[in-house]
């Protein structure tokens, strides 16, 4: 089992991506996909980062340009396969229904997120990541660096309301 420090390290990388989104006026969500380590304890320096992405829906004028969708495409290109077995996906906010569906289709084995989304979450609301009718159900680890992820989102929306 990977340590909390391990997961926090990669969630911090996702938070850096989320900060880039905020700077661009995008909803601050960031995503990182890594190759899962084969040995325990995992040396973070030896882990291959396959993808880093942040929301770009406004920038690209594309409703599907969520951090997870962009990262899934990058990781597939890095591996040369759409099946992302042997990976871990880190995202600052729980994936929406669209992203959760894409994660299932890509066969990502583990999804780690910071802040749950009780109104629109693909897992907590729609149960996509653990739906018994689907042939793939990733492990989920919510709540990693939740206060930092929450603070980034709240600060962004507070500033938007003040504009």
């Amino acid at each position: 089992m990977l340590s909390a420090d391990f997961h926090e390290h990669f969630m911090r990388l996702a938070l850096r991506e989320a900060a880039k989104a905020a700077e661009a006026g995008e909803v601050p969500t960031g995503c990182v996909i890594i190759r899962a380590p084969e040995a325990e304890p995992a040396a973070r320096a030896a882990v291959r980062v396959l993808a880093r992405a942040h929301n770009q829906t406004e920038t690209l004028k594309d409703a599907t340009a969520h951090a997870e969708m962009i990262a899934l495409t990058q990781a597939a290109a890095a591996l040369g396969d759409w099946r992302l077995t042997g990976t871990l996906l880190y995202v600052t906010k729980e994936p929406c229904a669209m992203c959760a569906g894409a994660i299932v289709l890509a066969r990502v084995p583990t999804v780690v997120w910071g802040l749950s989304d009780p109104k629109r979450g693909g897992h907590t609301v729609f149960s996509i990541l653990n739906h018994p009718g689907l042939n793939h159900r990733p492990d989920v680890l919510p709540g990693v660096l939740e206060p930092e992820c929450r603070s980034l989102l709240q600060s962004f929306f507070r500033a938007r309301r003040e504009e």
Side-chain angles (χ1 to χ4, degrees), residues 130-147:
N130 67 348
H131 193 282
L134 298 173
N135 65 338
H136 175 74
R137 290 177 293 284
D139 293 328
V140 297
L141 177 59
V144 174
L145 297 182
E146 182 177 355

Side-chain angles (χ1 to χ4, degrees), residues 10-27:
F10 291 102
M11 186 59 73
R12 282 189 184 88
L13 296 181
L15 277 163
R16 287 185 200 154
E17 289 297 318
K20 291 178 188 176
E23 289 170 16
E26 301 277 357
V27 173

Side-chain angles (χ1 to χ4, degrees), residues 13-31 53-59 65 67 92 148-160 163:
L13 296 181
L15 277 163
R16 287 185 200 154
E17 289 297 318
K20 291 178 188 176
E23 289 170 16
E26 301 277 357
V27 173
T29 302
C31 183
H54 55 274
N55 277 0
Q56 296 185 55
T57 55
E58 299 297 334
T59 302
T92 56
E148 293 89 334
C149 296
R150 179 185 313 283
S151 176
L152 184 60
L153 273 167
Q154 286 177 337
S155 296
F156 175 80
F157 285 112
R158 188 175 301 119
R160 292 300 280 284
E163 290 176 0

Side-chain angles (χ1 to χ4, degrees), residues 35-58:
R35 175 56 99 178
E38 295 179 16
E40 297 287 337
R44 291 188 309 238
V47 173
R48 181 175 172 206
V49 176
L50 301 170
R52 298 171 195 249
H54 55 274
N55 277 0
Q56 296 185 55
T57 55
E58 299 297 334

Side-chain angles (χ1 to χ4, degrees), residues 100-154:
I103 288 165
V104 168
L105 293 173
R107 313 292 198 277
V108 174
T110 305
V111 180
V112 181
W113 69 76
L115 182 63
S116 293
D117 186 350
K119 291 183 181 178
R120 293 172 292 281
H123 181 69
T124 58
V125 176
F126 299 104
S127 301
I128 293 168
L129 297 178
N130 67 348
H131 193 282
L134 298 173
N135 65 338
H136 175 74
R137 290 177 293 284
D139 293 328
V140 297
L141 177 59
V144 174
L145 297 182
E146 182 177 355
E148 293 89 334
C149 296
R150 179 185 313 283
S151 176
L152 184 60
L153 273 167
Q154 286 177 337

